[in-house]
């Protein structure tokens, strides 16, 4: 009761001390939350945006059939949950609906061939729908919002693409991917076309192979793929750790600033306690006169400081947690 009464006696001083400590906790906890949240977001985004936790990059100018055979042969004794092939193409957008476009209107798109039924769920659709595995072989396309705005493409539009060996590939727009409001993914950078729509004779710009491997078999899969000389395999968590290290480097200075803020707030609180002690000499003398030991008086002052520190932590960290 004495501790709470003393806090309410000098309300302005208590409020200023509380504000200073809360600002320090707000800065420090904000840096921590942003750092940890960014790492988690990167880990999820990298894994989802490539469709797996192992990325296989083939050497250029090697036939896809040979690469598929080499990968399947290397992983014949390894448990694989899902396999995904990401193929990127460049084409010319000749027209959509009744609008004729110049011949130099280039258009890029990707084909995701996967046995994962949820492979297209990562696409945040602005209007329409995302592709599904059942759309394989259907002349459909999902375009990014940026392309739709640039060319005036709308849901239900019929667009015509021309490629190096094939002309007049007609596709119906069934969805428009929303604008990226965070870390961009592969699906957010180009349009998506179902598998078995683009003729096999067309050459791709590049092809990536991704695998979703159980954690227990991850090391075995990487070891087996390392023996295949025509591909380069990479654990997605390695990319996550690399970017996390970069985040740690960039977050060093803000962390120091946050610690200095908290240190400054602690000094303010120490000065406040010292000043409060000098102002309460008469009260402390009365407490000693009626028999309270110095240890009991120290406990009262510690309770006051602890209440201010606890409230500051709740306010500073709580605001960041809500944000």
């Amino acid at each position: 009761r004495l501790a709470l009464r003393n806090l309410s006696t000098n309300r302005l001083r208590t409020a200023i001390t509380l504000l200073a400590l809360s600002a320090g906790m707000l800065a420090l906890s904000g840096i921590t939350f942003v750092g940890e949240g960014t790492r988690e977001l990167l880990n999820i985004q990298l894994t989802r945006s490539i469709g797996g936790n192992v990325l296989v990059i083939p050497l250029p100018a090697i036939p896809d059939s040979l690469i598929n055979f080499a990968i399947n042969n290397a992983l014949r004794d390894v448990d694989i949950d899902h396999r995904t092939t990401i193929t990127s193409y460049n084409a010319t957008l000749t027209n959509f609906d009744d609008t004729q476009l110049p011949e130099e209107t280039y258009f890029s798109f990707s084909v995701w061939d996967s046995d994962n039924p949820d492979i297209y769920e990562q696409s945040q659709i602005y209007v329409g729908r995302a592709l599904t595995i059942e759309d394989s072989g259907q002349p459909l396309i999902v375009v990014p919002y940026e392309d739709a705005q640039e060319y005036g493409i709308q849901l239900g539009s019929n667009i015509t693409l021309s490629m190096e060996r094939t002309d007049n590939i007609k596709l119906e727009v069934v969805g428009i991917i929303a604008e990226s409001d965070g870390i961009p993914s592969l699906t957010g950078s180009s349009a998506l076309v179902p598998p078995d729509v683009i003729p096999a004779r067309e050459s791709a710009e590049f092809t990536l192979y991704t695998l979703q491997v159980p954690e227990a078999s991850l090391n075995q899969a990487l070891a087996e793929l390392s023996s295949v000389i025509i591909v380069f395999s990479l654990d997605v968590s390695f990319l996550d750790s690399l970017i996390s290290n970069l985040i740690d480097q960039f977050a060093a200075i803000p962390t120091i600033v946050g610690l200095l803020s908290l240190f400054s707030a602690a000094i303010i609180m120490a000065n406040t306690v010292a000043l409060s002690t000098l102002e309460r000499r008469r009260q402390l003398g009365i407490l000693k006169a009626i028999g309270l030991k110095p240890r009991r008086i120290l406990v009262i002052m510690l309770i006051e400081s602890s209440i201010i520190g606890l409230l500051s932590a709740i306010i500073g960290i709580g605001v960041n947690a809500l944000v």
Side-chain angles (χ1 to χ4, degrees):
R1 288 198 300 269
L2 283 174
L4 293 175
R5 183 180 299 171
N6 291 331
L7 289 176
S8 61
T9 300
N10 297 305
R11 296 180 181 178
L12 180 60
R13 181 186 303 160
T14 301
I16 294 175
T17 306
L18 191 64
L19 179 62
L21 279 175
S22 298
M25 294 300 298
L26 183 69
L28 193 59
S29 62
I31 295 169
T32 303
F33 285 171
V34 170
E36 293 299 324
T38 303
R39 293 186 188 94
E40 185 68 18
L41 178 60
L42 284 171
N43 189 18
I44 296 173
Q45 188 72 18
L46 286 172
T47 300
R48 294 187 62 188
S49 63
I50 66 173
N53 55 1
V54 175
L55 177 63
V56 182
I57 304 173
L59 296 179
I62 297 179
D64 292 342
S65 57
L66 180 59
I67 295 173
N68 280 317
F69 174 79
I71 294 176
N72 293 334
N73 185 61
L75 300 177
R76 61 183 182 275
D77 297 326
V78 181
D79 293 332
I80 306 294
D81 290 337
H82 301 293
R83 301 169 185 258
T84 302
T85 302
I86 305 173
T87 309
S88 179
Y89 296 93
N90 281 337
T92 301
L93 181 61
T94 58
N95 64 75
F96 69 92
D97 295 335
D98 297 328
T99 304
Q100 189 74 25
L101 297 174
E103 294 183 357
E104 63 273 9
T105 305
Y106 296 104
F107 190 83
S108 63
F109 62 92
S110 300
V111 176
W112 289 54
D113 191 358
S114 176
D115 57 3
N116 182 4
D118 302 325
I119 189 64
Y120 293 113
E121 286 190 359
Q122 60 183 297
S123 302
Q124 301 297 320
I125 299 299
Y126 172 71
V127 64
R129 68 175 180 86
L131 297 178
T132 64
I133 287 187
E134 289 73 19
D135 292 328
S136 178
Q138 302 297 318
L140 306 175
I141 189 172
V142 174
V143 299
Y145 180 84
E146 293 82 359
D147 288 349
Q149 290 293 103
E150 180 179 357
Y151 302 121
I153 299 174
Q154 299 179 355
L155 184 66
S157 295
N158 292 293
I159 69 174
T160 303
L161 301 178
S162 291
M163 303 183 68
E164 185 178 358
R165 298 181 177 88
T166 309
D167 293 328
N168 297 326
I169 301 177
K170 298 183 182 297
L171 304 171
E172 179 187 355
V173 178
V174 295
I176 297 177
I177 302 174
E179 285 185 288
S180 176
D181 56 356
I183 300 175
S185 63
L186 291 178
T187 57
S189 60
S190 65
L192 293 176
V193 175
D196 302 327
V197 174
I198 304 303
R201 61 179 178 270
E202 294 295 339
S203 58
E205 289 297 309
F206 66 86
T207 302
L208 298 177
Y209 301 86
T210 65
L211 307 167
Q212 182 62 43
V213 183
E215 198 67 29
S217 304
L218 184 57
N219 291 333
Q220 181 186 0
L222 293 172
E224 296 293 344
L225 288 171
S226 64
S227 63
V228 182
I229 61 175
I230 60 175
V231 300
F232 174 74
S233 59
L234 184 65
D235 182 5
V236 173
S237 62
F238 169 77
L239 293 176
D240 173 61
S241 63
L242 179 63
I243 298 177
S244 295
N245 289 333
L246 294 176
I247 293 174
D248 291 336
Q249 297 296 325
F250 285 112
I253 295 178
T255 301
I256 294 175
V257 173
L259 289 173
L260 290 176
S261 300
L262 189 60
F263 180 70
S264 301
I267 293 178
I268 293 175
M269 185 173 182
N271 290 333
T272 302
V273 172
L275 182 60
S276 176
T277 304
L278 292 176
E279 292 178 348
R280 292 158 52 191
R281 291 167 60 187
R282 176 175 296 181
Q283 182 194 51
L284 297 179
I286 294 174
L287 293 176
K288 287 185 177 182
I290 63 176
L292 260 73
K293 296 181 179 180
R295 188 179 65 179
R296 294 290 300 277
I297 298 175
L298 179 61
V299 168
I300 294 175
M301 302 184 69
L302 287 176
I303 290 175
E304 296 177 20
S305 302
S306 300
I307 291 175
I308 294 177
L310 181 61
L311 289 176
S312 302
I314 293 175
I315 294 173
I317 300 175
V319 169
N320 273 321
L322 289 175
V323 172

